[in-house]
Amino acid sequence: MTQAPTIFSLQAPKDVSLNEIEAELNKIWQSYGIGGEDGALPAATRATTFTLVVYEPEQTQYLLAALGYYSGPIDGILGPQTVSALRDAQKSLGLERTGKASPQVLARLREEVAKLHRGGQTPDNNGSSAAEYSPDAASARIADEIALRNPCRIISLIPIVGEDEGVKAQVSAYCPIQKQSSSSLVCCEYITLTGTATALERIGGMIPALLIGGLPKFIWWKATPDPNNALFKRLSAVCDNVIVDSCDFNEPENDLLSLQALIENGIPLADLNWRRVGGWQELTAEAYDPPARLKALSEVDRVNIDHEKGNPTQALLFLGWLASRLKWRAVSYEQELGDYNIRRFKFMSDEQREIETELAGVPVADVGDIPGDLIAIRLSSTNPQANCGTLICSETGGCMRMETQGGAQSAGVFQQITSLSEQKAEALLSQQVQRWGKEALFEESLGVTAQLIKLAKKS
């Protein structure tokens, strides 16, 4: 574990009117310098890299801040400080300390906030009111992963429930202090817009004006992208990349079809969950690098994919990628409900060879942070002479189910994939903002995945 850097609060969250946002931020940079007790700290410089718009539908940080458990910037990124605040809230409310924002936890937090409003109380955990919260400069910051690499402007859109009382705006600025830096601190600007979904849609025309001109613009839509959502349509039209995380989709198959529809409409999409599958793709491709193995690749006619039971998105994306690379055409589908909820797709190759594939949701006792993580992949052939067998296992989950079926013996190549050190969304996001525009491989693979889902729905 690396220690998070100290975060200097250049400007704590300050309420401003909507038309004063830019003026207030300009005032900070025109008149504010940083000087430590010994006068050694350098001056602050505003971010000039990109703008990140975060649509945060869960209200997690807002509710935790309103109850006094959270004192950092509301940036919509579920990082270590938010997880710690969630655990504190769960302990205080007599809930299991999971550090996860389940619907039940959020419902309880909303109840507690409603009680505060009805009673006219304010929490005193950190001396702030429900509407205002002061930062703790020594704490790890949610945006560290992004700010340390590319300090930027983060615009958080926080839909809340209740009466439509317009949109409340706050501005703030935070600077990660890096000891090795002798130049000026480069700081993140935060603009937080809070209101009902209707109120946020109403001021949607103002949001593009807050994006820094001439720099890349990203939107992280932390909900299922809805082509009919007026705010989503407006923002996706002006951003260079729309970023989602399909591991959080409530209805994975339907939501993946929604992604495909957006791509067909020209929206430049990126899926953080797709990046999690990258290691599996690389090992699979590497297994067939030798000429003899590459020649035998056409003999593969059996594919087994095990994933943690629940969200099948990673398994579907991997199968879509594999089928798109090998030009397989899906022809039939069947499902076997039970402990493993097995899905079977049959394909035809260009040489008219049948390929049978199986996706199995494996029940696991210790579910990880990412729903539906891949566990094992096996490629094999009904031809016992074919040198095409490959078995790839996760470091944590192993290949137990496949090994009991004789998978290890039939595999010519056995590989183990180590757990991604940066599986969490905020870490993957910090990598994703290094690129923008359309991702051809993702779009092609998702297109095949969408075909598989449509075939399954027809069956």
Side-chain angles (χ1 to χ4, degrees):
M1 295 292 290
T2 57
Q3 185 176 0
T6 302
I7 302 295
F8 190 93
S9 173
L10 188 65
Q11 171 64 64
K14 178 180 180 180
D15 292 346
V16 297
S17 66
L18 290 173
N19 57 7
E20 293 176 339
I21 292 175
E22 285 289 0
E24 188 64 35
L25 287 172
N26 287 331
K27 189 186 303 181
I28 296 172
W29 306 115
Q30 289 169 1
S31 61
Y32 206 106
I34 300 180
E37 292 180 0
D38 57 358
L41 285 177
T45 303
R46 76 189 310 176
T48 55
T49 50
F50 57 84
T51 303
L52 173 66
V53 180
V54 182
Y55 183 83
E56 171 59 62
E58 297 89 351
Q59 310 165 37
T60 306
Q61 292 172 329
Y62 177 86
L63 294 169
L64 290 169
L67 292 169
Y69 295 105
Y70 177 70
S71 59
I74 296 183
D75 52 20
I77 303 172
L78 193 66
Q81 193 181 4
T82 305
V83 171
S84 176
L86 272 167
R87 288 182 176 141
D88 289 343
Q90 288 165 335
K91 179 181 179 181
S92 177
L93 299 173
L95 304 173
E96 183 181 1
R97 297 184 68 223
T98 63
K100 297 181 179 179
S102 67
Q104 293 77 16
V105 170
L106 290 176
R108 183 64 184 278
L109 292 176
R110 292 189 194 101
E111 290 176 7
E112 297 300 315
V113 170
K115 289 179 184 177
L116 286 176
H117 290 323
R118 285 196 300 268
Q121 304 173 37
T122 57
D124 55 8
N125 301 48
N126 57 10
S128 61
S129 71
E132 298 176 357
Y133 41 93
S134 59
D136 178 0
S139 298
R141 290 296 166 211
I142 305 306
D144 280 353
E145 292 286 351
I146 301 168
L148 286 176
R149 293 172 172 84
N150 298 97
C152 61
R153 173 177 291 187
I154 296 180
I155 303 173
S156 294
L157 308 178
I158 316 290
I160 60 173
V161 295
E163 296 288 331
D164 185 349
E165 299 178 351
V167 175
K168 173 186 170 182
Q170 285 186 333
V171 296
S172 56
Y174 297 90
C175 315
I177 299 175
Q178 299 176 328
K179 292 182 179 179
Q180 70 272 22
S181 175
S182 58
S183 59
S184 63
L185 296 175
V186 183
C187 308
C188 265
E189 300 175 332
Y190 291 88
I191 301 171
T192 303
L193 302 176
T194 307
T196 63
T198 301
L200 289 174
E201 287 183 11
R202 192 167 57 244
I203 60 110
M206 299 178 58
I207 297 174
L210 298 176
L211 307 177
I212 301 176
L215 296 177
K217 305 167 183 66
F218 301 92
I219 175 171
W220 185 16
W221 194 265
K222 296 184 67 181
T224 302
D226 180 3
N228 299 316
N229 182 295
L231 187 57
F232 177 81
K233 289 170 66 175
R234 187 185 296 272
L235 293 175
S236 61
V238 297
C239 286
D240 298 290
N241 222 191
V242 176
I243 304 170
V244 300
D245 192 346
S246 59
C247 85
D248 294 324
F249 286 172
N250 291 325
E251 299 179 358
E253 290 90 343
N254 290 334
D255 296 342
L256 285 173
L257 289 179
S258 295
L259 289 191
Q260 177 60 20
L262 291 170
I263 286 176
E264 291 173 354
N265 288 329
I267 302 299
L269 273 174
D271 181 5
L272 300 181
N273 214 23
W274 167 257
R275 298 183 67 86
R276 298 185 183 103
V277 181
W280 295 87
Q281 296 168 339
E282 290 172 9
L283 284 182
T284 303
E286 180 184 305
Y288 296 96
D289 275 345
R293 294 273 296 170
L294 181 60
K295 185 176 180 181
L297 183 58
S298 61
E299 295 284 346
V300 171
D301 57 15
R302 296 290 184 273
V303 179
N304 299 81
I305 303 174
D306 284 0
H307 63 91
E308 290 186 5
K309 192 171 186 179
N311 189 332
T313 301
Q314 287 190 20
L316 287 169
L317 288 174
F318 181 89
L319 184 57
W321 167 78
L322 186 65
S324 71
R325 296 304 89 196
L326 299 179
K327 296 181 171 56
W328 292 346
R329 178 173 54 88
V331 294
S332 67
Y333 169 81
E334 64 180 31
Q335 186 173 13
E336 180 184 322
L337 297 176
D339 290 340
Y340 295 100
N341 193 21
I342 294 174
R343 306 158 190 256
R344 295 188 178 92
F345 292 94
K346 183 176 291 186
F347 294 85
M348 293 292 290
S349 70
D350 285 346
E351 294 79 22
Q352 300 305 305
R353 286 175 52 86
E354 285 190 357
I355 301 99
E356 294 185 1
T357 66
E358 177 184 286
L359 280 61
V362 180
V364 292
D366 186 15
V367 179
D369 292 330
I370 310 302
D373 259 343
L374 292 179
I375 297 174
I377 294 170
R378 181 178 68 197
L379 283 73
S380 57
S381 175
T382 52
N383 178 3
Q385 305 304 316
N387 179 25
C388 64
T390 298
L391 181 62
I392 305 174
C393 304
S394 69
E395 186 179 49
T396 53
C399 281
M400 185 177 298
R401 197 179 77 92
M402 290 188 180
E403 288 171 343
T404 58
Q405 297 173 348
Q409 289 76 19
S410 65
V413 173
F414 180 89
Q415 292 175 304
Q416 186 176 66
I417 185 168
T418 57
S419 299
L420 289 178
S421 60
E422 296 188 334
Q423 279 253 68
K424 293 188 177 181
E426 63 268 21
L428 295 173
L429 185 66
S430 69
Q431 300 169 16
Q432 185 60 49
V433 293
Q434 305 297 321
R435 62 182 74 182
W436 56 87
K438 296 189 176 184
E439 297 188 30
L441 183 58
F442 169 62
E443 293 188 357
E444 290 176 17
S445 302
L446 181 60
V448 175
T449 300
Q451 293 173 10
L452 299 180
I453 294 171
K454 291 175 182 177
L455 178 62
K457 287 181 174 292
K458 291 179 181 178
S459 301

